Amino acid sequence: MIITPLVGVDIGAAAKAIHSLLGVILDTKGVTLAEWVALRTLGTAPDRVSQPSLRDGLVLALDIEPREATAVLCSLEERGLLAYDGYEQAGLTADGRAQYDDLYAGVVGVTAQVYAGIDASELATTRRVLATVAARAAELRSEI
């Protein structure tokens, strides 16, 4: 029996399905993907985050222009979800924390449903394989 290797189409299909599911969760709360990435960054940070670091993180994570990332941060600030201190360090407001916590709970709940019944060791193997594939692809890309 020939077992075909995991290919980019398989990885892409899974990623697209998960991304689409995340989009549904975010849409129900009126939050864009870029806003979610910013909220998640601030929601998981041990302390406040500098505006340039937050902006640059959005640029890298989402492959967007710095002005677009700045617009996302301005939108969150205007909606009262993030605030800056006197040193341009960003943090979630109480409303921002509540929004993040609500979204995070939704994501965790749906993630549990997606992975239900899949053995933890299989998930760990999948994570290792995908990390290896990503590293090899990045290495090959730098050589080409």
Side-chain angles (χ1 to χ4, degrees):
M1 175 163 109
I2 298 174
I3 299 175
T4 58
L6 191 66
V7 295
V9 172
D10 300 318
I11 296 167
K16 185 175 181 179
I18 294 296
H19 188 266
S20 176
L21 187 56
L22 175 61
V24 170
I25 294 168
L26 297 177
D27 285 348
T28 64
K29 303 296 182 178
V31 175
T32 68
L33 177 63
E35 290 169 340
W36 165 243
V37 171
L39 290 169
R40 188 186 65 209
T41 299
L42 293 170
T44 59
D47 205 358
R48 297 176 79 79
V49 179
S50 75
Q51 192 274 350
S53 293
L54 187 54
R55 182 202 60 227
D56 294 348
L58 290 175
V59 167
L60 289 173
L62 301 168
D63 194 25
I64 59 176
E65 294 296 319
R67 63 179 168 67
E68 294 173 88
T70 299
V72 168
L73 300 178
C74 288
S75 173
L76 291 173
E77 184 179 21
E78 289 167 5
R79 290 170 34 211
L81 301 177
L82 76 79
Y84 295 98
D85 64 16
Y87 301 100
E88 290 301 305
Q89 300 289 307
L92 293 176
T93 62
D95 287 346
R97 171 56 64 184
Q99 178 79 69
Y100 168 74
D101 289 345
D102 186 42
L103 285 167
Y104 182 74
V107 169
V108 168
V110 169
T111 300
Q113 292 176 5
V114 167
Y115 294 117
I118 301 174
D119 187 79
S121 65
E122 289 181 2
L123 291 172
T125 298
T126 301
R127 180 172 277 185
R128 281 193 313 275
V129 168
L130 290 174
T132 300
V133 168
R136 287 181 183 172
E139 184 179 329
L140 287 170
R141 183 176 178 196
S142 70
E143 294 172 2
I144 296 176

